[in-house]
Amino acid sequence: MTSKIKLTKTTVERLAPVEGKQLVFWDTDIVGFGVRVSPGGSRAFFYQGRLKGKLKKITIGKLGRITAEQARKDAKRIQSMMELGQDPSPKDATNKIEPTFGDLMSAYVELLEQQGKLSASNVKNQIARDIEKAFPKLWAAPVSKIQLEDCMQIVGKLKDEGKPRQADKIRSYIRTAFSEAINARGDVNMPASMRRLKITYNPARDMRKVKGSSNAKDRALSLAEFRAYWRRVKALPEPHRSLAMLHVLTGGQRQQQLARVTLADIDRDGPSMRILDYKGRRTEPRIHVIPLLPEALEAIDRITGGGQYVFSCDGGKTPIHNAFLNDIVKRIRAEMEKAEELENGPFTAGSIRATVETRLIAKPYRVSSDVLAHLLSHGMGTVQRKHYQHHAFADEKLESLEMLYRMVEGKSEPGAKVIEMRARA
């Protein structure tokens, strides 16, 4: 007896055995992928296809020893190998199918998910688009055969297409995936999918950073440009106006972090806003607290509604996407260029963050680098800051944001004020 269903954990576990009969169920998505249900109730996954014109069946494994998701991945790998004319059969009973480059990158995504990285889903989509779909032969190739030239082919394609930032992201994912797989050989905390790869060499180790991948962040607006930008922000319709204002009034925080902020993160008595900083290799987020000016609170009141998210354009039901602020900046930049208000060329939403730091550290504000590091949540990984410096700089951060507001409003600074570092708690 045969039938077609999508073979997932839930559907396979629900398959009931029939006394005296072996049942076969085929997957609706992967042609050739199936599961056999014996009269005794055991379920065995297999793949059946043609290799060089001959029908060939490969047993993948029994449910319990292998999950339905792992079986699907193995079925895809076997399918790819047979399409390339490669025999996926093990040479002997103890020799399993050699892991592929795709197995490595999938295990890397699983590691990010295990670590609770909110970027895991986005990384998975990028890897699927720029590696799996763009280079199916490399994806199905044995990971032990991957060389530097193969990695360069993937990254080079994106660079040649005029996507230096995306090219560098993929370079970083590949390089880190190999590095983590090497570390996994001695780390039982790693996912099993990563440990069983048994990788000892990182072919992407010598890949250099892609030039032009971070040029936009180096652009800081002049004081005149920054004030012109602020004037145009205040002239926007809602909710664009309040969202862009809040981005500036909180110091140009990272857009991905702002999108996670909910009303539960707003302390109106403080007043302050809590941001969970997942940047880097943190498994637990660092709590980053931003003081809120009265003008920032007013902006929050204008954009929030019945939903939970603060940075939202639909009353808090869903958070804004990075493209939302980027589109706002593009429109304002075009208006500034038309009005001849640009002095140093194009800029992006990320440039606002660089502008805040560049302008506040200069005269007449002279905010210290330590205060700016706490305000913008960066450079916090040194031994001194991690283990010995526990002062939160709350007052200093508030004073810096007050200076920022006076700056964009074009108000004079009351004297050449220097923010002194407070004694450490």
Side-chain angles (χ1 to χ4, degrees), residues 133-337:
K133 293 180 180 178
F135 296 91
K137 289 185 178 181
L138 285 179
W139 183 264
V143 69
S144 61
K145 304 297 184 183
I146 296 297
Q147 301 295 320
L148 174 62
E149 291 74 18
D150 300 317
C151 303
M152 288 291 292
Q153 184 181 357
I154 297 169
V155 176
K157 178 177 181 292
L158 291 167
K159 179 65 168 65
D160 294 342
E161 290 174 352
K163 303 173 182 177
R165 182 163 177 76
Q166 184 61 22
D168 200 63
K169 285 183 179 181
I170 294 297
R171 176 197 68 88
S172 177
Y173 299 155
I174 296 173
R175 191 172 186 271
T176 306
F178 273 105
S179 177
E180 293 289 7
I182 292 172
N183 295 335
R185 298 177 66 223
D187 189 349
V188 296
N189 299 306
M190 287 286 197
S193 59
M194 184 71 83
R195 296 199 308 271
R196 62 170 169 255
L197 294 173
K198 298 180 180 179
I199 291 175
T200 60
Y201 170 68
N202 187 348
R205 181 187 60 188
D206 296 327
M207 292 182 70
R208 295 184 178 180
K209 186 175 178 65
V210 179
K211 290 184 178 180
S213 61
S214 58
N215 286 348
K217 291 186 177 180
D218 298 332
R219 164 78 157 104
L221 278 65
S222 68
L223 188 56
E225 288 176 323
F226 198 18
R227 286 172 176 168
Y229 173 79
W230 178 251
R231 288 194 302 271
R232 294 186 180 278
V233 162
K234 291 197 297 181
L236 292 171
E238 294 290 359
H240 301 67
R241 172 175 177 263
S242 293
L243 286 167
M245 286 180 66
L246 196 53
H247 179 230
V248 173
L249 294 175
T250 54
Q253 302 299 322
R254 297 181 180 93
Q255 295 180 64
Q256 285 186 334
Q257 294 176 8
L258 291 176
R260 301 180 193 128
V261 176
T262 67
L263 288 174
D265 296 315
I266 304 299
D267 178 5
R268 292 183 174 275
D269 295 326
S272 63
M273 178 175 71
R274 183 184 65 172
I275 291 178
L276 300 181
D277 187 352
Y278 285 90
K279 190 175 186 294
R281 298 188 177 182
R282 301 185 182 105
T283 55
E284 293 293 330
R286 191 179 75 82
I287 297 177
H288 176 37
V289 179
I290 305 295
L292 291 176
L293 300 174
E295 294 77 12
L297 280 174
E298 291 171 3
I300 290 174
D301 289 336
R302 289 192 294 266
I303 57 180
T304 52
Q308 62 172 324
Y309 293 102
V310 172
F311 284 82
S312 171
C313 58
D314 58 5
K317 296 178 183 178
T318 57
I320 61 170
H321 189 273
N322 281 357
F324 191 86
L325 274 176
N326 289 333
D327 288 343
I328 290 176
V329 172
K330 285 180 182 178
R331 290 199 297 269
I332 293 180
R333 185 181 68 200
E335 293 172 0
M336 290 176 63
E337 186 173 14

Side-chain angles (χ1 to χ4, degrees), residues 4-20:
K4 280 193 174 184
I5 58 172
K6 184 167 183 178
L7 301 180
T8 65
K9 177 180 181 295
T10 302
T11 59
V12 172
E13 289 177 348
R14 287 178 178 173
L15 296 176
V18 176
E19 186 176 353

